[in-house]
Amino acid sequence: MIPKQILKDLAAAANSKKAVELKRFFKTGHGEYGEGDCFRGIVVPALRALARKHGGQSAGSCEELLHSTWHEDRLLALMILARNFERADEAGQRAIYRLYLANTAWINNWDLVDLSAPDIPGEWLLDRPKTPMLRLARSGGLWERRIAMVASHAWIRQGRFDDALAIAAILLNDRHDLIHKATGWMLREIGKRDLSAEESFLRRHCRAMPRTALRYAIERFPEEQRLAWLRGTHP
């Protein structure tokens, strides 16, 4: 059961004017990727403060909060789960990881994914087979595919690129620009650590990959090099 104080704090932090802005920003209109989502109007720093205040909640409470119709409630649940995961022993981390994968239907916008995927499935799988994320990369669900790509940030931060590149290759022909952006972002993160690894991937795939993914991947390149990659005239 969700503690009443959490619900009181969420209600107290709500801002109806900000909620209108967030509904527009997160594309909640008919036919958009966040269609029908509900917002309280709470900004991320305030939610982080609530996560610190209410850290240590049980997995059951977090799972119930994650099932809320309110976007910010779900984000708070994921923030608490990520904090708890970092502090848990192996058994506790396993339980949080399994809860996460069992509830991907509720991790249903890019901010929810980006603020949790590296810190929960990404960290859990750091020294384990990446099969679950390779499977999600082939999912019919937009947000599961983004979870797979963004989770790889945890591995990239440790200088481990092979599985991230494998997921990027799976997602090259994806139809959604939010996957293109995530793929390009992770390629850029690889390039920050090993430019040759990123460029090797781009040489193989740049002519076939979506332009959005390519633009994100080469965002930090000098202008002349960016133009060369976009024209397909790179070395």
Side-chain angles (χ1 to χ4, degrees):
M1 185 174 182
I2 305 171
K4 291 181 179 179
Q5 190 59 51
I6 291 181
L7 298 177
K8 287 181 180 179
D9 287 348
L10 285 164
N15 182 314
S16 58
K17 182 178 179 180
K18 187 65 177 177
V20 173
E21 297 175 8
L22 291 173
K23 281 172 66 69
R24 186 165 52 247
F25 182 73
F26 285 102
K27 307 295 185 184
T28 62
H30 178 68
E32 295 182 308
Y33 60 73
E35 180 176 354
D37 206 354
C38 301
F39 284 80
R40 294 181 183 270
I42 308 174
V43 295
V44 168
L47 288 170
R48 289 195 186 281
L50 289 178
R52 291 192 294 272
K53 177 179 178 180
H54 296 289
Q57 296 296 320
S58 70
S61 294
C62 289
E63 186 171 24
E64 189 172 348
L65 190 61
L66 185 58
H67 290 183
S68 173
T69 57
W70 296 104
H71 185 100
E72 292 93 340
D73 296 17
R74 302 196 300 277
L75 185 53
L76 177 59
L78 291 165
M79 287 179 173
I80 294 172
L81 285 169
R83 286 173 57 84
N84 291 352
F85 182 93
E86 184 179 8
R87 293 161 173 76
D89 59 16
E90 184 175 358
Q93 290 184 343
R94 181 185 295 107
I96 293 171
Y97 166 76
R98 288 177 174 173
L99 184 154
Y100 189 96
L101 287 193
N103 288 278
T104 54
W106 301 93
I107 307 169
N108 56 354
N109 213 312
W110 58 264
D111 62 323
L112 304 177
V113 172
D114 296 358
L115 286 170
S116 62
D119 296 334
I120 299 178
E123 285 293 333
W124 176 254
L125 296 173
L126 185 62
D127 294 313
R128 296 178 174 88
K130 308 303 187 291
T131 307
M133 293 302 102
L134 292 166
R135 184 165 57 247
L136 286 190
R138 295 182 172 90
S139 167
L142 166 63
W143 305 117
E144 289 191 331
R145 300 198 304 277
R146 187 167 175 112
I147 286 170
M149 190 71 261
V150 178
S152 73
H153 200 184
W155 321 328
I156 293 168
R157 288 191 298 238
Q158 298 299 318
R160 307 179 191 182
F161 309 136
D162 289 350
D163 293 296
L165 292 171
I167 291 172
I170 291 170
L171 295 172
L172 276 182
N173 296 317
D174 201 279
R175 295 189 301 273
H176 206 290
D177 71 328
L178 286 173
I179 301 301
H180 305 166
K181 291 174 181 178
T183 302
W185 170 24
M186 290 304 109
L187 291 172
R188 185 173 72 240
E189 290 299 316
I190 291 171
K192 289 179 183 179
R193 296 160 176 82
D194 186 341
L195 184 58
S196 64
E198 180 188 8
E199 288 185 331
S200 177
F201 182 91
L202 293 177
R203 286 191 189 97
R204 293 195 303 274
H205 300 293
C206 69
R207 290 181 175 84
M209 67 192 298
R211 298 292 276 184
T212 298
L214 179 57
R215 287 183 184 277
Y216 269 62
I218 62 176
E219 188 177 89
R220 294 169 59 90
F221 287 19
E223 183 176 4
E224 185 176 343
Q225 291 184 26
R226 287 202 310 273
L227 293 174
W229 282 103
L230 290 168
R231 290 192 301 261
T233 58
H234 54 280

